[in-house]
Each structure stands twice: as structure tokens, then as C-alpha cells.
């Protein structure tokens, strides 16, 4: 993926900066899990790897280098099976607010896929991925994976759980909060 293909010195700078920020959280918290504000993580990543900072652009990617788009995420490890927010569709609520459960899931998938394709086309990208900094006890873990579109033809296991729609596409599991209009993966 992206991180492993970067210059060793840039990798070292990135890890050192994350370590410094993580150690500073001991000044204001007794938690063994380091705090990492997502905006700080974005800045450290972009500066360390000389990428374009797109984090304020309100698109699916937060950074870009050459033909690679990168969505930057930070979250707690917990049990390593948590859902993480990947999109918010509040402004598009009028498109799906009155749809049945099955049609709603399809519409959310279409909206998500359109956003990914928009970023890909806008910046002429060959590859789009997530770079994740996972906060765990006394450490950060780095993880990368492709930013896949939702396979609309393989959507299954649609289940309404209170105010949340759960579904998968045989590759990833998703959760859509009806009240917050957020899609998590």
C-alpha cells in the first residue's frame, strides 16, 4: 500500500511525530491509550510524506500524492471489530428519507460510490485507500486497506436494529445510522 512504498526517512519522521504527539497526551490524561486529534494526524501525515492536504475539501479523500488518494482515519482499537464512520449523508436526506429499508440501503450505497468516484475523477486517481492510525494501549498501530466502493449487487444481510441499518456486500460490513445520516464500515 502507501506507507510501505514511502522513503524510509519519511516513514521514520511520521512515526516519530506520532510518538511525540502520543506521549504528550500523558500531560492531560491518565489513560494508557494515547490521544490523537484527527486534524493533527492529518497534518503529520501530509507533512511527513509531502502529500497534498485535502482534508478540508469535504470529499472522500483527505490527502493525495501523485495518482494515489488517501482517506485518513484515527480510531480506538477496542476489540478490533468496531465500525468507523466513512461518510455522512445529512444533506442528501431528501433523496432517501422516505424509502423502504432495502431501497434505502441501495441509495446509500449509490451515494457512497458516487463520492468515491467523484474524488477519483476530480484528481485523476489510479488508487484510493484508507490509512488508519489505530489507538491502542501505549501504542499506535498503522493499517491500510483499499477504499472499496460498495458492491451494490452483493448487498445482503440487511437488518434494522433500532435506528441503525446493518448490511454487507460480502466484502465489508456497514452500518447506517438513520438519525445521524452516517455510514460506518
Amino acid at each position: 500500500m502507501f506507507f510501505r512504498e514511502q522513503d524510509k526517512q519519511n516513514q521514520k519522521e511520521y512515526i516519530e511525530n506520532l510518538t511525540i504527539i502520543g506521549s504528550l497526551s500523558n500531560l492531560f490524561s491518565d489513560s494508557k491509550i494515547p490521544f490523537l486529534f484527527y486534524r493533527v494526524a492529518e497534518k503529520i501525515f501530509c507533512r511527513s510524506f509531502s502529500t497534498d492536504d485535502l482534508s478540508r475539501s469535504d470529499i472522500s479523500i483527505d490527502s493525495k500524492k501523485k495518482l494515489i488518494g488517501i482517506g485518513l482515519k484515527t480510531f480506538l482499537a477496542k476489540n478490533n471489530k468496531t465500525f468507523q464512520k466513512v461518510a455522512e449523508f445529512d444533506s442528501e436526506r431528501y433523496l432517501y428519507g422516505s424509502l423502504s429499508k432495502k431501497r434505502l440501503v441501495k441509495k446509500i450505497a449509490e451515494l457512497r460510490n458516487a463520492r468515491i468516484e467523484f474524488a477519483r475523477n476530480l484528481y485523476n486517481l489510479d488508487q484510493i485507500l484508507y490509512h488508519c492510525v489505530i489507538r491502542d494501549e501505549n501504542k499506535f498501530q498503522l493499517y491500510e486497506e483499499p477504499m472499496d466502493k460498495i458492491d451494490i449487487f452483493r448487498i445482503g444481510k440487511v437488518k434494522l436494529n433500532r435506528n441503525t441499518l446493518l448490511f454487507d456486500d460480502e466484502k465489508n460490513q456497514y452500518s447506517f445510522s438513520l438519525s445521524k445520516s452516517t455510514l460506518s464500515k
Side-chain angles (χ1 to χ4, degrees), residues 1-20 44-51 65 131 133 142 144:
M1 291 293 221
F2 181 84
F3 180 82
R4 290 185 182 178
E5 295 175 5
Q6 300 310 300
D7 181 82
K8 296 293 181 200
Q9 184 60 36
N10 296 98
Q11 290 178 11
K12 182 180 176 194
E13 176 186 336
Y14 179 62
I15 290 169
E16 285 175 353
N17 285 329
L18 284 176
T19 302
I20 290 167
I44 289 172
F45 183 90
C46 292
R47 287 184 182 159
S48 297
F49 299 117
S50 300
T51 65
K65 187 167 187 176
H131 175 86
V133 180
L142 302 180
E144 291 182 339

Side-chain angles (χ1 to χ4, degrees), residues 62-141:
D62 300 299
S63 181
K64 152 185 150 21
K65 187 167 187 176
K66 297 181 181 175
L67 300 177
I68 301 173
I70 304 136
L72 302 170
K73 298 290 180 193
T74 62
F75 53 91
L76 290 170
K78 294 187 182 175
N79 62 1
N80 291 324
K81 293 183 181 184
T82 62
F83 281 98
Q84 300 301 320
K85 178 181 162 185
V86 293
E88 187 171 320
F89 298 106
D90 201 40
S91 62
E92 291 96 339
R93 189 183 293 265
Y94 70 96
L95 295 172
Y96 62 80
S98 62
L99 297 177
S100 68
K101 180 173 67 172
K102 196 169 187 174
R103 291 184 59 190
L104 169 62
V105 168
K106 183 179 180 198
K107 176 53 79 176
I108 294 303
E110 289 170 350
L111 291 169
R112 170 67 174 154
N113 292 351
R115 285 189 183 179
I116 291 172
E117 199 57 33
F118 175 78
R120 182 183 297 281
N121 292 336
L122 181 63
Y123 292 103
N124 194 32
L125 302 171
D126 286 340
Q127 182 182 9
I128 300 179
L129 61 97
Y130 285 114
H131 175 86
C132 305
V133 180
I134 304 163
R135 299 170 31 225
D136 204 350
E137 194 170 304
N138 297 314
K139 64 183 172 185
F140 293 126
Q141 299 175 58

